[in-house]
Each structure stands twice: as C-alpha cells, then as structure tokens.
Amino acid sequence: MQIKKTGTFQSMRFKTWVYYVFFSVCILSLLLLIQVVLFEPVYKNSKMKEATNVVNQLAQHTDDDEYLQQTVINNDGCAVIVTSSKMRKGIDSLGVSCLIYHDGKVNSDYLNALKDSETGELSLMATVNDTTEMLIYGKKFTNEKGKSYYVLFNTPIQPAKSTVAMLRTELIYISGIVLLLSLFMSLYFSHRLSKPVIEMTHEARKLSTGNTDVQFKHGEFKEMNDLADTLNFASHELGQINELRKDLIANVSHDIKTPLTMITAYAEMIRDISGDNEKKRNEHLEVILQESEYLNRLVSDMRDLSILQSGQVQLYEENFDLGSVIREAAYKFKTITKSENINIELHVEPELVAYGDKFKILEVLYNFIGNAIKHYGDDRTIVVNAFRQPKGWIRVEVIDHGTGIPHEALNHIWERYYKTDKSYQRAHSGTGLGLAISKAILDAHHCEYGVDSVLQKGSTFYFLIAEAKLD
C-alpha cells in the first residue's frame, strides 16, 4: 500500500501557524473594537457615575467648607449648593469654563431645569467655545427639617474624539508590531509542535515497509511521549510477531515435511523391498499410519487453535463433575505412565461441580498433564490438585518436579511452537500446540490461569474455573 503524502497547505505545521496568526488577528481586532468603538460611550458613562458620586458627597457635607473645596478641586469641576432661590455655597476650579456658576452667580437656566425635573435629577451635556464638552449633573435633596436644597456639579469631558484618534494611531503601530511578532512566534511554535509528529511519521513510514528497527523519540509534550511509548511498544510487538511468523512457518514446514518424508520413504520401501514380505510390509505400513495420524492431529490442532483465537468458538457451558473430568484426563495417559513408570497423584476435593464447557476443560487438563509428563523429575511423579477457592472459584493445579522454566520465558510459553531453548525439534507426542490451545480455551471461559516455576524444582500450571451455577 502506497502512503499518500499531503501537501504543504495541509500539513500540521502550516495549519498551526495559520491558527496562531488568526488568533492574533482576532485579539487585535477585539482591541480595536474596544478602543475605538466602545471607548467614548464607556468613558462618558464613567464620568456620569463619577459626577453622581461627587454630588452625593457634597450633599452630605454642606457645612464643611474645606471638604467641599477639596472634593470639587480633586474632581476637576465647579459646584453650587442652593437653598430655595439663594445660593448657599459656590466652589469653582474651572474659572470661565464653569457653566453653572460665574462671578458669584448661579446660572438660573440649569437651576430652573433641575427644579422643574420630575425625577429630581438633571443630567445633560453642553459645549464651551465649540470645543470642550461639559457634563452638568444636579440633584434635589431634602434636609432634616423637610426643606429642599439643590446641588449642581459641572465637570469637563476630555475631547473623546481626539483621544480616540490618538488611540487609533497608537493601536495601528502596536498592531503592526504585534502582528509581525505573532508571525514569527507562531512559526516557531508550529515548528516545535510539528517536529515530533514529523519525526514519528518518518519512523512510521519505515515501520510500514516492514522495518521494525525503528525508535520513536520522546519530546517535550506528555501526549507525544505517550504516543511514542505506544508506537515503540507496537514496533517491538510487530518485531516479535515477525519472528514468531518466521518460526511458525519453519516449524510447521518441519512438522509437515518430516512425516511426509517418512511416508514417502516407507511407501517406496514397500514398493521396492517389502512388498512380498508380510511382516516387514506391516511394520512399514504401521509407520505410515502413525505419521499420517500425526499429520491429521497437527492439521486438526491448527484448525482448532485458529477457530479459538478468532473468537468464533461456541462453548457449550453447563454444570459438570470436575473430579470425574480430571480422572478421565489422567486415565488417557495410562499407557504412557505405565510404560515409563510415571505416577499421577490426584488430590481432588469431593463434590467439585464446575460450570463451563466440559469437553474443552477436558482438553485443557489433557494438555497440562501431557506437558507435565514431558518434564517429570527424578521422582517421576505428577500431582494434580483441585480445591475450592473463595468467591465461587475452583483452582486446578498440575505440578511436575522437572527442570522448570526460565523466568524470561514464562510469558511466552503460551505461544504456539514456543520453546525455551529456541532449538526446534518435533515433539515426541502431541503437536506443540497444546498450551496455545489451552490458553485460547481458558480465555474463552474468562478464567484466570498461569504458571509458577522454579528452575531445577519444577513447574505448576494452574487455572481457576467457576463453581456450578445454582438454578
């Protein structure tokens, strides 16, 4: 399969750069909107709140001349406090620009407008010399004796339009600088972000060609490191699978070639030598039959393993007497154990009723015991234990006292044709697929299983199966 390469404009680096630039433009546009469009109304609203606060303060301190003077000066304005029609106090820090108070007199127009107001408040804008915009705010108050008095405050509003123009000019320069910096910074960050992905892609292309000697390097991002670890694990597993595939082909070829060679050789011997000698002919025919039976078992085991590992196997689960199944599996080895003087000890608790596929579990026990017989120790004893465990499980153990299994091989013995010494020889009995088939059967039953082994002391193969289900 040819890997299609994407163009530059579709690359992660280019798109990341575009996203960064677009983000910068959006931020600058938002700043422009705030400074140019919203500045004036926000500024005027702020001045109005400020004038309202000043008037309320002045109304609370009408007898404190120093406080009144300082408050008006600090807020850059002029103010008058009027009782009835007479001015009570006037404070001016604006001079001729004050619209409500000049030369000791109150501007009657604004005072009358405040008195006539239904809300008791006056708020308006006025212009001085056609340049400076002024804010005038007044409010009606009532003293403790129930008499009314009025407070007027006048403060200039700085030329908002000139301020906006100045801000716009500054913002244009700032925007240019920020945009230029964002172009370079986004280019830098996009390169930093895309570099590990590009490197991983390069290694992945090598992996896609079958080269498993690749290394996905770590970077500065946790997610990239997790991805690198996953890909490194995958490449390692692919390498092992390739080795197993090669071993599988070699081993199957060997297993098939050997009996075929024997069959061919003995058939030729019958044809050329022993055809008229009944005794020798029968001996040669027996070898042919044995090798044919081995080929038949090999093909059958490979087919069963393929079905089991594909997940398409159908289990016929039921309650069954586990003790009788264990005894049946041990009995199948009666001929071998008798000829080789091997003792199989059974320690089975009474009335062990399990739930599962009886015949599949029988096959597992047959494979476990058969494997133990191949590795019996000096005592020539195989032990099979079966006993109840907490939480509704039954533990079954098959123990030999042979040479044991190296620690590094424990996780691989369930693989088809795996051998700890890596020098493949055809098994004297069986097809070499027993443990792989047992693993697939136990996986289908969702059983816990495993092996404990100590070198020169022996191995214990075990599995846990569910107790019988009550109706």
Side-chain angles (χ1 to χ4, degrees), residues 37-104:
V37 178
L38 301 179
F39 174 79
E40 186 171 351
V42 170
Y43 174 71
K44 288 183 176 181
N45 184 59
S46 175
K47 292 294 290 185
M48 177 59 70
K49 289 182 179 179
E50 181 183 306
T52 304
N53 185 49
V54 169
V55 168
N56 290 329
Q57 290 179 8
L58 295 177
Q60 294 174 6
H61 301 82
T62 55
D63 296 328
D64 190 343
D65 292 342
E66 184 178 351
Y67 179 85
L68 296 175
Q69 185 77 18
Q70 194 62 45
T71 301
V72 172
I73 293 173
N74 289 342
N75 288 278
D76 189 24
C78 63
V80 291
I81 301 174
V82 179
T83 304
S84 299
S85 61
K86 297 180 181 180
M87 182 184 69
R88 186 176 179 186
K89 286 186 176 66
I91 307 100
D92 182 11
S93 66
L94 298 179
V96 295
S97 297
C98 182
L99 298 180
I100 61 173
Y101 172 68
H102 187 62
D103 292 336

Side-chain angles (χ1 to χ4, degrees), residues 213-232:
D213 186 20
V214 296
Q215 180 65 36
F216 296 92
K217 298 180 181 179
H218 281 194
E220 55 186 302
F221 305 107
K222 178 183 180 298
E223 293 79 5
M224 291 297 181
N225 293 341
D226 291 343
L227 178 59
D229 290 339
T230 302
L231 291 174
N232 283 327

Side-chain angles (χ1 to χ4, degrees), residues 100-135:
I100 61 173
Y101 172 68
H102 187 62
D103 292 336
K105 296 180 180 180
V106 179
N107 190 320
S108 58
D109 293 335
Y110 298 117
L111 180 59
N112 293 333
L114 175 57
K115 290 180 178 181
D116 294 338
S117 172
E118 295 180 357
T119 61
E121 287 186 89
L122 173 68
S123 174
L124 53 85
M125 299 291 179
T127 304
V128 177
N129 301 326
D130 298 326
T131 56
T132 304
E133 195 170 12
M134 305 293 285
L135 169 63

Side-chain angles (χ1 to χ4, degrees), residues 96-254:
V96 295
S97 297
C98 182
L99 298 180
I100 61 173
Y101 172 68
H102 187 62
D103 292 336
K105 296 180 180 180
V106 179
N107 190 320
S108 58
D109 293 335
Y110 298 117
L111 180 59
N112 293 333
L114 175 57
K115 290 180 178 181
D116 294 338
S117 172
E118 295 180 357
T119 61
E121 287 186 89
L122 173 68
S123 174
L124 53 85
M125 299 291 179
T127 304
V128 177
N129 301 326
D130 298 326
T131 56
T132 304
E133 195 170 12
M134 305 293 285
L135 169 63
I136 299 171
Y137 178 74
K139 189 173 182 182
K140 178 182 178 181
F141 295 93
T142 303
N143 62 19
E144 300 157 346
K145 298 179 180 180
K147 294 183 178 182
S148 299
Y149 65 98
Y150 305 90
V151 179
L152 284 168
F153 179 69
N154 178 197
T155 185
I157 295 180
Q158 299 298 329
K161 293 183 180 179
S162 61
T163 303
V164 169
M166 180 186 66
L167 289 173
R168 185 186 295 115
T169 303
E170 290 180 354
L171 192 59
I172 289 173
Y173 287 113
I174 293 173
S175 299
I177 295 172
V178 171
L179 187 58
L180 190 62
L181 286 174
S182 68
L183 290 174
F184 287 103
M185 291 301 293
S186 60
L187 188 63
Y188 170 75
F189 283 121
S190 64
H191 173 73
R192 290 287 295 271
L193 285 172
S194 61
K195 183 180 178 181
V197 177
I198 294 172
E199 291 177 348
M200 287 184 185
T201 302
H202 177 70
E203 293 297 301
R205 286 201 179 103
K206 290 166 59 178
L207 185 62
S208 68
T209 62
N211 180 8
T212 57
D213 186 20
V214 296
Q215 180 65 36
F216 296 92
K217 298 180 181 179
H218 281 194
E220 55 186 302
F221 305 107
K222 178 183 180 298
E223 293 79 5
M224 291 297 181
N225 293 341
D226 291 343
L227 178 59
D229 290 339
T230 302
L231 291 174
N232 283 327
F233 177 77
S235 63
H236 177 263
E237 292 299 307
L238 284 174
Q240 286 194 324
I241 289 173
N242 283 336
E243 291 299 320
L244 289 173
R245 178 177 56 82
K246 294 176 183 177
D247 290 344
L248 177 62
I249 293 174
N251 295 336
V252 171
S253 300
H254 183 279

Side-chain angles (χ1 to χ4, degrees), residues 216-405:
F216 296 92
K217 298 180 181 179
H218 281 194
E220 55 186 302
F221 305 107
K222 178 183 180 298
E223 293 79 5
M224 291 297 181
N225 293 341
D226 291 343
L227 178 59
D229 290 339
T230 302
L231 291 174
N232 283 327
F233 177 77
S235 63
H236 177 263
E237 292 299 307
L238 284 174
Q240 286 194 324
I241 289 173
N242 283 336
E243 291 299 320
L244 289 173
R245 178 177 56 82
K246 294 176 183 177
D247 290 344
L248 177 62
I249 293 174
N251 295 336
V252 171
S253 300
H254 183 279
D255 269 351
I256 292 177
K257 183 177 180 180
T258 300
L260 285 177
T261 301
M262 297 281 286
I263 290 171
T264 302
Y266 278 88
E268 290 176 349
M269 289 174 66
I270 292 173
R271 183 191 64 189
D272 299 333
I273 299 175
S274 60
D276 297 328
N277 188 327
E278 183 178 358
K279 181 179 179 181
K280 287 186 175 294
R281 184 176 68 243
N282 289 338
E283 290 177 355
H284 296 164
L285 286 172
E286 182 63 26
V287 172
I288 291 174
L289 288 172
Q290 289 177 356
E291 296 301 318
S292 299
E293 176 61 24
Y294 173 79
L295 277 176
N296 183 56
R297 291 201 313 272
L298 176 64
V299 172
S300 178
D301 282 354
M302 292 181 67
R303 180 199 61 202
D304 291 345
L305 181 59
S306 177
I307 293 173
L308 286 165
Q309 291 183 335
S310 69
Q312 297 177 352
V313 64
Q314 183 175 359
L315 298 178
Y316 297 96
E317 294 180 296
E318 59 182 349
N319 296 334
F320 65 92
D321 184 354
L322 181 60
S324 64
V325 171
I326 293 174
R327 286 186 285 273
E328 181 180 350
Y331 184 79
K332 288 179 179 288
F333 293 94
K334 182 178 181 180
T335 302
I336 297 176
T337 56
K338 185 176 182 180
S339 64
E340 298 195 23
N341 194 26
I342 298 173
N343 180 35
I344 299 180
E345 295 182 1
L346 303 182
H347 303 285
V348 181
E349 285 189 8
E351 299 181 0
L352 286 181
V353 182
Y355 180 77
D357 189 317
K358 173 181 177 180
F359 297 101
K360 291 287 191 296
I361 297 300
L362 174 63
E363 187 172 1
V364 171
L365 287 165
Y366 179 83
N367 290 331
F368 277 13
I369 296 174
N371 183 73
I373 287 175
K374 297 175 192 175
H375 302 92
Y376 61 82
D378 295 336
D379 62 354
R380 312 182 80 82
T381 300
I382 307 298
V383 180
V384 181
N385 297 324
F387 50 91
R388 290 179 177 85
Q389 291 274 276
K391 299 181 180 180
W393 292 97
I394 301 172
R395 182 181 175 97
V396 180
E397 300 174 340
V398 179
I399 304 170
D400 67 72
H401 303 102
T403 58
I405 304 169

